[in-house]
Amino acid sequence: MSEIEIRVVRFDAPVAQHLIQAALADLGARYGGTGDDTPVDAAEFEPPDGAFLVAYLAGEPVGCGGWRSHGEDTAELKRMYTVPAARGRGVARAVLAAVERSAREHYRKRVVLECGDKQPEAIAMYGSAGYERIPNFGFYKDAEGCISFGRTL
C-alpha cells in the first residue's frame, strides 16, 4: 500500500475545488439537491483561522478535509471526502488526524462537525475516532437527518 501524503492547500486551489465538487456530488446523490448549501468562504480556511488539506496516494489527490473557526477555541470540520477508488485505505483517518493536528497547532481545543444520517461510513469513523454526539448546530441544525459530533483535542 502506498503511503498517504497530506498537503496543506488553499481552499480555492484547483485540486481542492475538484475534490470538493466530487464531495458535493456524492452528498447530492445521497440527499438530493446540491449536496450541501452551507455558506462557505475560501478565506475561512486560511491560517490562523482555518486550513484545508488534500491527501495524495502515489501522487494522485484522493481525499480532502479542512477546518474553519467556530468560536474562539473550536474548529469546525468541513468537506471531508475520499474518492471511491481510495476508500478503505485509511485516507479519511489520515486526513482527520491531520485536520485535528492543524487545529490543535492553531490553539483550538475542540472539533465539531455536522453529518447526515445517510453517511453510515462517516458516522462509524467519527465514532471510532472518539467523536460523540452533540446538540445540532449550524446551517442544518433543524434539518431532519442532521447529526452533529464533537471531540475535545
Side-chain angles (χ1 to χ4, degrees):
M1 178 163 67
S2 298
E3 185 175 327
I4 299 165
E5 179 187 359
I6 307 287
R7 299 179 198 164
V8 177
V9 303
R10 290 181 51 94
F11 184 87
D12 55 5
V15 65
Q17 286 300 301
H18 176 76
L19 289 164
I20 290 165
Q21 291 309 311
L24 293 175
D26 181 76
L27 291 172
R30 293 174 194 243
Y31 300 102
T34 63
D36 185 354
D37 293 323
T38 305
V40 174
D41 181 338
E44 295 174 312
F45 296 88
E46 291 294 319
D49 297 319
F52 199 77
L53 302 105
V54 170
Y56 292 81
L57 273 175
E60 293 297 316
V62 294
C64 63
W67 68 273
R68 64 182 182 178
S69 290
H70 184 83
E72 187 173 315
D73 65 356
T74 301
E76 180 185 9
L77 181 69
K78 294 297 294 177
R79 302 297 185 250
M80 281 286 294
Y81 178 70
T82 302
V83 300
R87 292 179 183 164
R89 299 176 69 184
V91 173
R93 288 188 183 281
V95 171
L96 182 61
V99 166
E100 290 174 344
R101 191 169 37 257
S102 172
R104 195 177 309 107
E105 289 169 356
H106 288 91
Y107 308 104
R108 299 311 190 270
K109 296 178 179 158
R110 183 165 178 75
V111 175
V112 296
L113 65 99
E114 289 180 299
C115 189
D117 62 358
K118 295 179 182 175
Q119 296 168 265
E121 67 283 13
I123 293 166
M125 183 192 69
Y126 295 133
S128 69
Y131 284 77
E132 298 177 343
R133 290 284 305 267
I134 61 171
N136 286 347
F137 69 94
F139 190 80
Y140 289 103
K141 74 177 182 177
D142 296 321
E144 185 178 328
C146 179
I147 304 169
S148 296
F149 291 95
R151 179 174 180 263
T152 301
L153 296 176

